[in-house]
Amino acid sequence: MARDEASQGAEPLWVFGYGSLIWRPGFPFASRQAALLRGAHRRLCIYSHRHRGTRERPGLVLGLVAGGSCRGMGFEVPARDWSEVYAYLLDREMDSGVYRAVWRPVRLADGRMVRALAFVVDTSHPQYAGNLEQAEQLRLVRDGHGESGPNPEYVVETARHLMALGMADRYLDALAAELGGLGLRVPETA
């Protein structure tokens, strides 16, 4: 799996962040830069029972779903730190099995193509929420609170950091505006 592939050689390894890893990676890295992953897109589609909700009151967090592309952040991890970083990421991202750790090619802002560890959603997992209507997403996010904090913070901070990096995500921006974040006005519907 990811650990075995990564342990070969002494070259730096990469991690692709598309949600809270962008603004709270929690692991040592040598450098970071904007990155583009093709073949998957970011979506609020995972019921959170730990970080941003509980089993009784699930929150909603992001997952990578097949199709499209996703702009995020590539983190370069020195090979000497990989075992520790990988163990941390498994604990943070893989505690319930809703994500799959996979290697995907990403294009870095400097033009290089690198293989990066990414966490994609397992659509057969019971915590996969699918494509929920915005009203249901907002309800879950507003009510969610887990060991990493309130669910609205997760959505607003992710949208805020993407915007600051020049990677505005209209989908997340609209949700963040509904939650009262970003100082954005919610567009009126006709």
Side-chain angles (χ1 to χ4, degrees):
M1 163 119 199
R3 177 178 288 186
D4 295 337
E5 285 185 50
S7 63
Q8 300 170 1
E11 289 188 25
L13 299 153
W14 291 84
V15 174
F16 180 74
Y18 56 91
S20 62
L21 283 178
I22 291 172
W23 51 276
R24 189 165 48 186
F27 59 86
F29 55 89
S31 69
R32 67 178 167 191
Q33 59 180 289
L36 176 68
L37 181 143
R38 294 196 185 278
H41 64 281
R42 174 182 23 246
R43 183 190 310 156
L44 275 174
C45 63
I46 297 172
Y47 295 117
S48 177
H49 296 162
R50 176 182 170 196
H51 288 287
R52 298 298 175 164
T54 64
R55 289 193 186 280
E56 299 77 28
R57 291 182 78 169
L60 202 59
V61 295
L62 294 164
L64 282 176
V65 181
S69 62
C70 181
R71 294 172 67 198
M73 188 66 64
F75 294 91
E76 178 186 20
V77 178
R80 69 180 177 278
D81 296 333
W82 183 252
S83 291
E84 177 186 329
V85 169
Y86 185 72
Y88 166 78
L89 289 169
L90 286 184
D91 178 61
R92 176 175 168 163
E93 305 294 334
M94 303 281 287
D95 65 312
S96 71
V98 70
Y99 292 107
R100 290 182 303 112
V102 298
W103 290 98
R104 292 290 186 261
V106 298
R107 180 160 310 277
L108 301 173
D110 67 11
R112 287 182 292 157
M113 285 293 288
V114 298
R115 284 179 6 116
L117 181 67
F119 293 92
V120 300
V121 67
D122 176 355
T123 59
S124 68
H125 194 279
Q127 283 179 250
Y128 175 61
N131 194 10
L132 299 173
E133 294 292 326
Q134 185 174 351
E136 179 63 3
Q137 291 177 6
L138 285 166
R139 183 190 70 75
L140 288 164
V141 169
R142 283 185 176 122
D143 292 347
H145 193 287
E147 70 181 48
S148 294
N151 204 172
E153 172 198 50
Y154 171 83
V155 172
V156 170
E157 287 303 309
T158 301
R160 184 185 323 271
H161 281 79
L162 286 169
M163 187 178 289
L165 293 166
M167 300 179 198
D169 181 316
R170 287 182 292 166
Y171 163 73
L172 276 181
D173 291 349
L175 290 171
E178 286 282 349
L179 294 165
L182 303 180
L184 299 176
R185 214 175 108 258
V186 180
E188 293 182 26
T189 54

